Amino acid sequence: MIAIKRTMALTAIPLVLAGCVSSAQYAGKEAGFSTVSAKVGGVTSKQTVWVQNQQQAQATSSRVKAFLGRNKVLDAETAVQVALINNKGLQAAYADLGDSAADAWQSTMLLNPTVSIGFSGIGAPELEAFRTIEGAITTNLLALMTKKRDIEIADTRFRQAQLNAAVRTLQLAAETRRAWINAVAAWENVGQLQRAQAAADAASELAEKLGETGAMTKGGQAREHVFVAELAGETAKARLTARLAKEELTRLMGLWGTDVDFQVPNSLPALPRSLAKRDAIEAEALRNRIDLQVARLELEATARSYGLTEATRYVTDLEILAGFEAEREVEDGKKKWETTAAGELEFSIPIFDTGKARMRKAELGYMRAANQLAEKAVNVRSEARSAYEAYRSNYDIARHYRNNVVPLRTKVEEESLLTYNGMITNTFELLTDTRDKINSILLSVNAKRDFWLADANLAPAVYGGGSSAAAAETEIASVSESGGGAH
């Protein structure tokens, strides 16, 4: 019994150490998700959920149907909210957060000790069945030595996973908002083209009647007819573009089956009266960009791993073995137990592999993470400046088309109509002015779309969740479908 008590004392060491570490923050089903939800809510003013069972899935589905039922014509805010609670790819990203929490939870637990017991010495019938009992309990001493650092590294990775989940959520919100803008702009182009189509049809009929009276040559009639035909082709192309843009929005919102029966407005909102002032946008971005925080944590984790590598440089495998042995003997007709305690320490001697190569790899890993963080900081400042420059410039361009180009084209067309009615100008000049006005209106619609896209890119530039440059280059074809109603 004495030997057994000694063994229990040795094996209690890991249990005491393990008791010093709290694993509650990693053990919950939604471990770390409250941080993600808070960060996303602060930026987007929207709620996101982590669906993990059938009841939650049904509740989410009911919420989506309620959103779509209340908003037959879907605005941008509703589209983003539906995407944040219904996109299945986002749920997969949250599962990655759960994996990281489980890994951090696991890191707080020590390796289970290995217990071995052997029996030997089956003797004569007058003796007891077992003459010698041998036992051993082994545990990994190196795991005990580096446990604190292992937990710190796992916790850093867990915090990284939280931030990565937040970045993925913000990215989805930005993508959904851009998809909504592109879809609405595409349908607005369609509406403009359909109105132009009606005017072109009237001009074509007029050309045909003038041709019958001999007032217009066959070549002139052909020019008007081909314009109508080309415009019909452009309208069909625009209609296809608008439908595809709506499908992209549908995918981001995670809609399925009959849920896709929603409409978007037939025109984008008017330009705001004034621009938002972001004089310190670079400082804002450096302070708030979540992907930059992820890079900082990567450097922290690499530094901790470097320390861990240094700790294990000379001792790669180290185990402590504690054991006991009990032997029962018969002497002078009396039975007695004799016990002995034993211990073994086993480790590798660094004769050939001194760990220098692993140390060098750790140093290079740290240098790599440090340079990646520095590069990220440079890029963040540049992206913030670019996003605000695009926001300001696209606003000025859109206002220029709205306040100058389109009114002038409208004035030219009105004057051409007056002179045409007074028989001062001919039909060709009137139709040419009408075509030019159509082109200017389409350019104005696209300029307004580019401004709202730049506006949607401001938040990702400050908080993370998307590449402003890539988003700014996103373009839907200039022409699309439908007109007066929502789509």
Side-chain angles (χ1 to χ4, degrees):
M1 183 62 68
I2 295 175
I4 294 176
K5 286 182 178 178
R6 288 177 179 173
T7 305
M8 291 295 291
L10 286 169
T11 56
I13 295 174
L15 298 178
V16 172
L17 291 175
C20 298
V21 179
S22 173
S23 60
Q25 59 178 321
Y26 313 123
K29 285 189 175 181
E30 292 194 354
F33 183 69
S34 59
T35 300
V36 176
S37 181
K39 284 185 175 294
V40 171
V43 176
T44 65
S45 301
K46 302 290 182 297
Q47 182 186 16
T48 184
V49 297
W50 187 358
V51 179
Q52 300 189 59
N53 55 52
Q54 188 64 31
Q55 290 75 17
Q56 290 176 332
Q58 290 175 351
T60 299
S61 178
S62 298
R63 288 186 64 191
V64 170
K65 290 180 180 178
F67 278 125
L68 298 178
R70 289 196 302 266
N71 300 273
K72 292 300 183 182
V73 180
L74 203 65
D75 59 32
E77 302 306 319
T78 303
V80 171
Q81 180 60 84
V82 170
L84 292 188
I85 66 175
N86 199 50
N87 184 280
K88 302 307 181 288
L90 186 59
Q91 295 300 316
Y94 293 159
D96 293 338
L97 173 61
D99 283 344
S100 180
D103 290 339
W105 187 11
Q106 183 68 45
S107 73
T108 63
M109 305 176 189
L110 291 169
L111 295 176
N112 294 326
T114 302
V115 180
S116 61
I117 301 176
F119 305 94
S120 63
I122 299 178
E126 67 272 12
L127 299 178
E128 295 293 334
F130 302 110
R131 189 161 186 262
T132 303
I133 301 175
E134 295 179 351
I137 299 176
T138 61
T139 189
N140 192 313
L141 185 59
L142 180 61
L144 298 178
M145 296 168 57
T146 61
K147 192 63 184 174
K148 182 175 181 294
R149 193 166 291 155
D150 285 341
I151 294 173
E152 290 173 348
I153 292 173
D155 180 71
T156 302
R157 295 301 185 193
F158 172 62
R159 286 183 285 141
Q160 269 188 306
Q162 287 178 303
L163 296 178
N164 282 328
V167 167
R168 179 67 186 91
T169 307
L170 294 178
Q171 183 180 25
L172 176 64
E175 289 175 352
T176 304
R177 191 176 298 277
R178 287 193 290 262
W180 183 89
I181 292 169
N182 283 325
V184 175
W187 285 112
E188 187 171 0
N189 270 326
V190 170
Q192 296 294 343
L193 284 170
Q194 285 188 329
R195 284 187 279 275
Q197 184 78 49
D201 288 339
S204 179
E205 292 178 7
L206 176 61
E208 185 176 355
K209 291 180 179 178
L210 290 174
E212 292 174 355
T213 61
M216 181 176 284
T217 64
K218 291 187 179 295
Q221 296 177 60
R223 289 189 189 93
E224 299 314 312
H225 296 330
V226 75
F227 174 65
V228 172
E230 288 175 348
L231 195 57
E234 290 299 316
T235 305
K237 182 180 177 182
R239 196 174 284 117
L240 172 62
T241 301
R243 287 171 177 164
L244 294 179
K246 185 180 176 183
E247 283 300 327
E248 181 184 1
L249 178 61
T250 299
R251 288 193 297 273
L252 291 170
M253 293 168 62
L255 299 181
W256 176 278
T258 56
D259 292 339
V260 300
D261 186 21
F262 68 89
Q263 298 176 330
V264 296
N266 57 9
S267 63
L268 287 169
L271 295 176
R273 293 181 177 272
S274 61
L275 287 176
K277 298 294 183 182
R278 305 297 284 268
D279 296 331
I281 192 170
E282 293 178 56
E284 279 188 82
L286 289 175
R287 184 172 59 251
N288 297 315
R289 277 284 287 263
I290 299 178
D291 51 348
L292 190 60
Q293 297 172 28
V294 172
R296 290 193 186 103
L297 286 175
E298 180 63 31
L299 182 62
E300 178 183 330
T302 304
R304 294 186 187 280
S305 298
Y306 173 78
L308 179 60
T309 302
E310 188 174 21
T312 61
R313 179 180 179 185
Y314 293 111
V315 183
T316 54
D317 293 305
L318 182 61
E319 289 189 347
I320 184 170
L321 179 143
F324 66 89
E325 180 178 331
E327 184 175 349
R328 192 174 189 183
E329 295 182 352
V330 177
E331 183 178 345
D332 297 332
K334 295 182 179 180
K335 300 174 182 179
K336 64 178 182 178
W337 283 96
E338 290 186 2
T339 61
T340 58
E344 295 180 15
L345 190 64
E346 180 181 320
F347 59 92
S348 299
I349 302 175
I351 298 176
F352 305 108
D353 182 4
T354 61
K356 289 184 177 179
R358 285 185 290 125
M359 286 287 290
R360 179 57 178 162
K361 289 189 68 174
E363 292 170 359
L364 291 173
Y366 181 82
M367 292 169 59
R368 181 186 303 111
N371 283 292
Q372 287 173 343
L373 175 59
E375 180 190 31
K376 172 65 72 174
V378 171
N379 292 345
V380 161
R381 294 189 65 182
S382 176
E383 288 171 11
R385 291 194 302 268
S386 297
Y388 190 64
E389 185 63 33
Y391 173 73
R392 291 178 54 186
S393 298
N394 279 301
Y395 180 75
D396 292 338
I397 293 169
R399 283 188 63 198
H400 174 71
Y401 274 101
R402 183 194 66 183
N403 297 340
N404 299 308
V405 177
V406 173
L408 286 173
R409 284 295 182 191
T410 302
K411 185 65 175 178
V412 168
E413 184 189 39
E414 291 173 352
E415 291 299 321
S416 293
L417 184 59
L418 289 175
T419 55
Y420 175 77
N421 290 334
M423 304 299 292
I424 300 174
T425 187
N426 59 36
T427 306
F428 297 115
E429 292 177 354
L430 175 61
L431 294 175
T432 299
D433 293 335
T434 301
R435 293 174 191 172
D436 291 339
K437 179 187 175 183
I438 293 170
N439 290 332
S440 296
I441 290 175
L442 293 178
L443 289 173
S444 178
V445 171
N446 290 337
K448 184 170 63 169
R449 177 204 63 200
D450 291 342
F451 164 75
W452 285 115
L453 286 175
D455 177 73
N457 290 332
L458 275 181
V462 174
Y463 298 99
S467 171
S468 300
E473 294 169 1
T474 302
E475 288 203 9
I476 296 289
S478 303
V479 285
S480 310
E481 157 181 342
S482 178
H487 302 278

